[in-house]
Amino acid sequence: MPTEHIKVDALVVGGGIAGMQTALDLGDQGYQVALVERQSSIGGKMIDLSKVFPTLDCCSCITTPKMSATAHHDNINLLTYSEIESINRNGNGFTVQVTKKPRYVREDDCTGCRSCELVCPLEVSEDEHEFGRTSHRIVYVPFSTAVPQKAVVDIDNCIFCGKCIQACPSDAIDFTQQPEPVEIETRSIVLATGFETTPIDAKKEYGAGKLRNVISGMMMERLLAPTGPYGRVLRPSDGKMPASIAYVQCAGSRDQTLGVTYCSRVCCMYAIKQAMLLSGALPLAEITIYYMDIRTFGKGYEQFYQNAKAMGVEFLKGKVARITEDADQNPIVRVELIDEFGKTRVTERQHDLVVLSVGLLPGGNPQAKFGVPVGEDGFIQVPDYNVFPAVTSQPGIFVTGTALGPMDIVDSIMMAGAAASATASYLESSNGSGKEAQSQPERSVEYA
Amino acid sequence: MTTTMEAKKKRTEMLVEMRKEHRDTVQKAQELLKAQQSTRKVLERALTGGPHSVPQLAQAVNMPAHEVLWHVAGMKKYGIVAEAGTDESGDYYLYRLTKEAA
């Protein structure tokens, strides 16, 4: 298998909003950038969200142009569906081995027309974006605004009937594809490895993921998105439009039993945002937020919270002890409520749907793969957070976005600017040679 | 003409080879396909009688409602069913077969 060689100034690991913005900021300054993303499309978690807080702007409308700009930038070399295998320091830079996973579809030929998908006879659960609430065919374009807009074959569920081959107008299906090695020579690395959320089954008190009408905040994002699994807010057990929806705050953050002692910083705001969106989607629904304390620290956030209260969202202070369900699969929330005088009362309340405001966990294992130290929380630790938040203890390796710790979209984008600036500064100082190549990325293919 | 025939033969040979190479996963996928096609047929037959909500379909085909919803979501995504208003209670959407599917 021939090895493709790419020589760049900076390698960005992760194609979410922070990774894309860092790549764009560096690319705009004339640096050659390679962006490696393990999924088949860039966009990260943000492309799955419905709207952003506190402006309620459409997430897709912000993310999609950035995805497109990243893919079409002259100075950015995009490698999707690719995994980093190893990183070795090489003089003042790094040699990075990457494996491009086979799509079983030739990227250069596929036009994203979905003719293959429409004739494919079998569907399996769509887990990557829709949490198994709907299906995708065995050959499929991941989602309508995926970048690149190319099909991928789920080879482990394929029956090789050949219908996709017959339907493809550009003869792009190729079942013989193999993993392709790529070697990237880079002078710097920016880690934008993002976050995962606390698993829905983490807390057995909250149903351990077995109660169908207890979902996570990310699942609710998909229900609220026009491109979501049902195109509506319906409860998963039977498709009912929920008339009573409850949010359980800190369901995976500030929780010693889960080893997640920190505040995830975004859960209060995304719960309030979703409550406001639900008030619009389901005007008759009663929405309750059970909280320990509401943290609205950003610009315009407190006003957003006050607006939600004014719209009729019920905020109840208390800690939810347990969630069970009745015979009709309605979740029953057992909660100790605290009134304004500090007096407590234990009660049980029935809802149609419960949303767990799950917390943020580090994405991947950056310590093992990139040799950067992580803190007790598992997020990347930098030696001087107050002065150089994007600079790790490893010379030439930088960090951005939620790889550093929980943060919202606004902060992630600001961190991307900081990481690009720190990387550019490093590139100008190291070797003293500035930009690697002013015109086109240097690429070659070596036939072993 | 000969070239087309040759290409077709080559493609068939490649697919046979692939099925051999992935024997275990192909067998599992074939079983899944058989079960899925049978379920979809039953659901489509129920829908030829008129629009149904998810609980109504679940009752008609004797299947858990959450499984019916999964199938309906997939069928809606691929243009086999479409929404047809809500039921009398206003709690559930009704689904009908699209013209193309009917």
Side-chain angles (χ1 to χ4, degrees):
Chain A
M1 175 63 61
T3 302
E4 185 182 358
H5 291 274
I6 301 172
K7 199 172 178 184
V8 290
D9 297 306
L11 164 67
V12 176
V13 183
I17 187 65
M20 288 191 295
Q21 190 61 54
T22 305
L24 286 168
D25 287 351
L26 284 167
D28 286 348
Q29 292 176 62
Y31 293 104
Q32 293 303 322
V33 181
L35 192 155
V36 175
E37 165 58 46
R38 68 186 162 84
Q39 292 198 332
S40 52
S41 167
I42 52 173
K45 296 278 192 301
M46 189 173 168
I47 194 65
D48 289 337
L49 306 181
S50 54
K51 300 202 174 187
V52 293
F53 57 75
T55 56
L56 297 184
D57 288 321
C58 158
C59 253
S60 187
C61 306
I62 299 169
T63 321
T64 310
K66 287 207 188 286
M67 291 159 73
S68 185
T70 304
H72 296 110
H73 201 294
D74 284 344
N75 294 339
I76 299 175
N77 200 325
L78 183 60
L79 291 121
T80 52
Y81 217 38
S82 300
E83 291 276 3
I84 290 188
E85 302 294 346
S86 65
I87 294 178
N88 290 302
R89 207 170 268 282
N90 174 13
N92 283 332
F94 305 87
T95 303
V96 182
Q97 305 298 334
V98 175
T99 299
K100 235 180 149 189
K101 293 179 277 186
R103 282 176 181 264
Y104 303 101
V105 171
R106 279 183 289 272
E107 270 191 64
D108 290 345
D109 295 329
C110 179
T111 61
C113 70
R114 297 178 70 213
S115 298
C116 53
E117 185 174 356
L118 296 175
V119 297
C120 179
L122 181 58
E123 291 170 31
V124 290
S125 255
E126 164 50 86
D127 296 326
E128 202 166 288
H129 299 279
E130 307 293 5
F131 304 94
R133 301 291 173 214
T134 185
S135 57
H136 65 65
R137 299 244 162 109
I138 303 308
V139 55
Y140 64 106
V141 175
F143 51 94
S144 57
T145 56
V147 172
Q149 188 72 191
K150 308 284 178 190
V152 58
V153 176
D154 174 0
I155 204 79
D156 292 334
N157 284 301
C158 185
I159 57 167
F160 302 99
C161 63
K163 285 186 177 173
C164 52
I165 299 176
Q166 282 174 304
C168 180
S170 52
D171 198 22
I173 307 288
D174 180 4
F175 288 128
T176 65
Q177 270 188 356
Q178 296 292 321
E180 289 174 26
V182 180
E183 188 175 87
I184 301 174
E185 212 178 296
T186 180
R187 294 167 55 211
S188 62
I189 295 172
V190 183
L191 303 176
T193 45
F195 70 93
E196 295 300 331
T197 52
T198 318
I200 186 83
D201 59 358
K203 278 188 85 71
K204 66 176 189 323
E205 304 93 309
Y206 294 169
K210 288 178 183 149
L211 308 181
R212 293 197 193 285
N213 293 323
V214 177
I215 65 172
S216 72
M218 279 302 282
M219 290 180 201
M220 180 53 92
E221 288 289 338
R222 295 307 302 147
L223 296 187
L224 283 162
T227 53
Y230 313 136
R232 304 270 179 196
V233 180
L234 305 177
R235 65 179 202 169
S237 72
D238 59 0
K240 184 186 177 190
M241 281 179 271
S244 168
I245 303 162
Y247 281 80
V248 177
Q249 297 306 106
C250 300
S253 305
R254 304 168 71 193
D255 191 332
Q256 299 259 9
T257 64
L258 297 177
V260 184
T261 52
Y262 52 87
C263 166
S264 288
R265 298 186 74 209
V266 294
C267 319
C268 286
M269 287 304 290
Y270 78 60
I272 296 170
K273 174 198 74 178
Q274 290 182 2
M276 289 176 97
L277 295 174
L278 284 166
S279 298
L282 302 164
L284 300 178
E286 288 173 1
I287 301 153
T288 305
I289 296 182
Y290 298 106
Y291 70 98
M292 293 204 287
D293 41 23
I294 294 288
R295 298 183 169 181
T296 54
F297 52 86
K299 190 176 178 179
Y301 291 8
E302 178 61 22
Q303 187 57 49
F304 193 69
Y305 168 42
Q306 296 303 332
N307 290 351
K309 282 208 275 192
M311 282 172 73
V313 176
E314 184 184 34
F315 287 84
L316 291 178
K317 190 171 174 67
K319 182 69 185 161
V320 171
R322 197 172 62 215
I323 307 172
T324 51
E325 65 179 13
D326 65 13
D328 294 324
Q329 295 186 289
N330 297 308
I332 311 288
V333 172
R334 185 176 174 81
V335 57
E336 184 183 41
L337 297 174
I338 307 165
D339 69 16
E340 56 190 307
F341 306 107
K343 211 171 152 192
T344 61
R345 175 171 63 97
V346 176
T347 183
E348 288 195 348
R349 301 177 103 212
Q350 181 201 300
H351 300 279
D352 287 340
L353 186 63
V354 168
V355 184
L356 301 181
S357 290
V358 293
L360 272 53
L361 304 175
N365 187 351
Q367 189 169 32
K369 205 157 222 177
F370 308 104
V372 290
V374 296
E376 278 179 16
D377 55 11
F379 289 97
I380 293 171
Q381 195 164 36
V382 294
D384 199 344
Y385 181 74
N386 290 332
V387 183
F388 302 111
V391 181
T392 73
S393 58
Q394 299 289 325
I397 302 186
F398 302 85
V399 57
T400 187
T402 50
L404 187 62
M407 65 181 74
D408 61 22
I409 291 165
V410 176
D411 286 353
S412 287
I413 291 173
M414 280 200 289
M415 264 304 295
S421 176
T423 307
S425 179
Y426 170 82
L427 289 169
E428 290 305 315
S429 63
S430 71
N431 304 334
S433 56
K435 297 167 181 69
E436 178 64 49
Q438 294 286 349
S439 52
Q440 289 300 308
E442 193 178 309
R443 297 181 70 159
S444 62
V445 177
E446 175 190 286
Y447 291 87
Chain B
M1 182 66 92
T2 322
T3 323
T4 318
M5 291 288 282
E6 273 173 17
K8 204 173 169 186
K9 196 180 162 197
K10 217 172 152 187
R11 189 174 69 210
T12 309
E13 282 170 1
M14 182 273 294
L15 288 170
V16 169
E17 200 54 44
M18 284 293 149
R19 276 183 223 127
K20 266 189 211 163
E21 196 182 312
H22 298 264
R23 184 170 292 144
D24 291 347
T25 55
V26 167
Q27 197 183 336
K28 261 193 245 169
Q30 275 173 332
E31 282 163 18
L32 183 65
L33 175 65
K34 209 172 154 187
Q36 194 171 95
Q37 280 180 334
S38 153
T39 304
R40 293 284 167 98
K41 242 181 228 172
V42 172
L43 288 169
E44 285 177 31
R45 204 175 301 137
L47 287 168
T48 52
H52 282 62
S53 67
V54 168
Q56 286 167 347
L57 270 176
Q59 201 172 16
V61 303
N62 195 24
M63 189 190 287
H66 70 271
E67 284 181 26
V68 170
L69 180 60
W70 185 86
H71 282 286
V72 167
M75 291 161 86
K76 191 174 167 215
K77 180 176 176 178
Y78 289 109
I80 299 159
V81 301
E83 278 176 10
T86 59
D87 68 355
E88 279 179 9
S89 70
D91 288 341
Y92 293 92
Y93 280 94
L94 298 171
Y95 299 94
R96 62 170 172 80
L97 284 176
T98 57
K99 273 181 195 163
E100 296 76 25

